[in-house]
């Protein structure tokens, strides 16, 4: 039997990856799910294809010849290209997630990853992109105002100093839309799979956020503990 024709209607995914076996494996896995796949083998070619062909999602390796994944991501955001970007990062690159979030990436996947995990993240990002109204830009904690896009926080005229990780945690909580976020998910998205941060690290960061944002940190009104699970964000009704 001849191989089936490539699909012509599924979402278009641009894979920017310099390692050929990885690029081909990603292309095969995505094509098998009905996605249309474009590829680029270096950062400059990837940027060019992203701008010309306007894919629905980009899988972006970080270590790339000519232009690395962080610079490519930052350049797309500078040009106001809002395509969802899933970064692929090596296990050893501890700081990549935070740097990538700062550069405007939407999610991370640590190599080596399973095809199943990859496809789940791709589906989630495409789903989120189809509901732009869901993208949360601002949060209020009583009189405190957080701008998740610009990464600024103020209470009245007082500037509140939040770290990049604290903004990333708030973004994750906001995107969960009132559902609990597990400590493992925080570690996965905000820290990466590294040996030294423990789930206690998450508790300490939540305590720091409560101290900065909650009107009464001992009785949190917004950053709620979900016992045995993690944390969830209670948003003020508009
Ligand atoms: Ca690479």
């Amino acid at each position: 039997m001849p191989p089936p024709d490539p699909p012509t209607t599924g979402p278009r995914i641009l894979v920017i990856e310099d390692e050929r076996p990885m690029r081909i494996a990603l292309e095969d896995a995505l094509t098998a799910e009905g996605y249309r796949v474009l590829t680029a083998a270096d950062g400059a070619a990837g940027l060019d294809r992203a701008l010309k062909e306007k894919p629905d999602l980009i899988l972006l390796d970080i270590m790339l010849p000519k232009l690395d994944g962080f610079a490519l991501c930052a350049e797309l955001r500078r040009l106001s290209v809002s395509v969802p970007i899933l970064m692929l990062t090596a296990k050893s690159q501890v700081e990549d997630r935070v740097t990538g979030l700062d550069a405007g990436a939407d999610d991370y996947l640590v190599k080596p990853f399973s095809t199943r995990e990859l496809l789940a993240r791709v589906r989630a990002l495409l789903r989120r992109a189809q509901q732009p109204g869901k993208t949360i830009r601002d949060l209020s904690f009583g009189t405190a105002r957080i701008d998740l896009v610009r990464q600024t926080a103020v209470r009245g005229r007082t500037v509140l100093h939040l770290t990049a990780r604290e903004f990333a945690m708030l973004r994750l909580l906001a995107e969960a839309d009132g559902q609990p976020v597990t400590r493992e998910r925080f570690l996965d998205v905000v820290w990466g799979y590294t040996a030294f941060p423990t789930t206690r690290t998450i508790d300490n960061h939540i305590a720091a956020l409560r101290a900065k944002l909650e009107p009464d940190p001992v009785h949190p009104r917004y950053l709620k503990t979900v016992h045995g699970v993690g944390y969830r964000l209670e948003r003020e009704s508009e």
Side-chain angles (χ1 to χ4, degrees):
M1 261 198 349
D5 288 337
T8 53
T9 56
R12 293 158 71 245
I13 300 182
L14 172 58
V15 174
I16 308 176
E17 166 66 75
D18 58 319
E19 288 158 59
R20 190 163 180 275
M22 184 68 168
R23 193 168 65 241
I24 290 170
L26 288 168
E27 183 172 14
D28 287 350
L30 293 165
T31 305
E33 286 296 301
Y35 297 111
R36 289 176 288 169
V37 181
L38 316 166
T39 59
D42 67 64
L47 179 63
D48 194 52
R49 288 207 90 173
L51 294 173
K52 281 191 184 135
E53 308 203 36
K54 301 184 172 45
D56 299 299
L57 184 142
I58 296 177
L59 291 188
L60 181 58
D61 184 34
I62 291 175
M63 299 297 286
L64 287 167
K66 297 189 185 170
L67 184 67
D68 73 30
F70 296 132
L72 198 165
C73 185
E75 180 63 6
L76 286 176
R77 297 310 187 220
R78 192 184 69 77
L79 296 168
S80 299
V81 176
S82 61
V83 56
I85 296 177
L86 174 55
M87 275 196 171
L88 308 176
T89 172
K91 199 169 189 171
S92 57
Q93 291 162 311
V94 177
E95 292 303 319
D96 282 358
R97 285 161 187 261
V98 170
T99 310
L101 286 172
D102 286 345
D106 297 276
D107 201 357
Y108 280 82
L109 210 48
V110 178
K111 294 178 186 176
F113 47 79
S114 70
T115 302
R116 209 175 130 197
E117 179 70 5
L118 169 78
L119 295 173
R121 300 289 183 92
V122 164
R123 278 194 300 273
L125 281 178
L126 288 171
R127 207 163 43 230
R128 203 194 297 165
Q130 283 162 358
Q131 321 172 301
K134 281 285 206 184
T135 305
I136 295 156
R137 186 192 168 105
D138 301 299
L139 292 175
S140 318
F141 290 77
T143 55
R145 298 275 177 276
I146 316 289
D147 183 330
L148 292 175
V149 177
R150 292 185 181 176
Q151 302 208 343
T152 56
V154 292
R155 176 176 284 116
R157 292 185 184 176
T158 309
V159 174
L160 304 172
H161 295 283
L162 271 60
T163 65
R165 281 208 167 104
E166 287 169 346
F167 278 113
M169 289 177 76
L170 287 177
R171 189 160 81 145
L172 197 57
L173 283 162
E175 284 168 358
D177 201 20
Q179 296 301 305
V181 177
T182 64
R183 292 175 177 83
E184 289 71 26
R185 180 77 180 138
F186 280 116
L187 287 177
D188 179 3
V189 175
V190 181
W191 274 264
Y193 295 100
T194 58
F196 51 89
T198 65
T199 48
R200 181 65 63 86
T201 308
I202 306 302
D203 300 335
N204 292 338
H205 276 74
I206 290 284
L209 273 171
R210 282 174 174 158
K212 291 175 186 180
L213 300 175
E214 289 280 357
D216 177 5
V218 181
H219 302 100
R221 187 172 149 193
Y222 304 100
L223 292 165
K224 299 279 199 185
T225 300
V226 182
H227 290 288
V229 181
Y231 297 96
R232 68 179 187 85
L233 181 63
E234 176 83 41
R235 298 189 68 198
E236 278 184 328
S237 45
E238 330 271 82

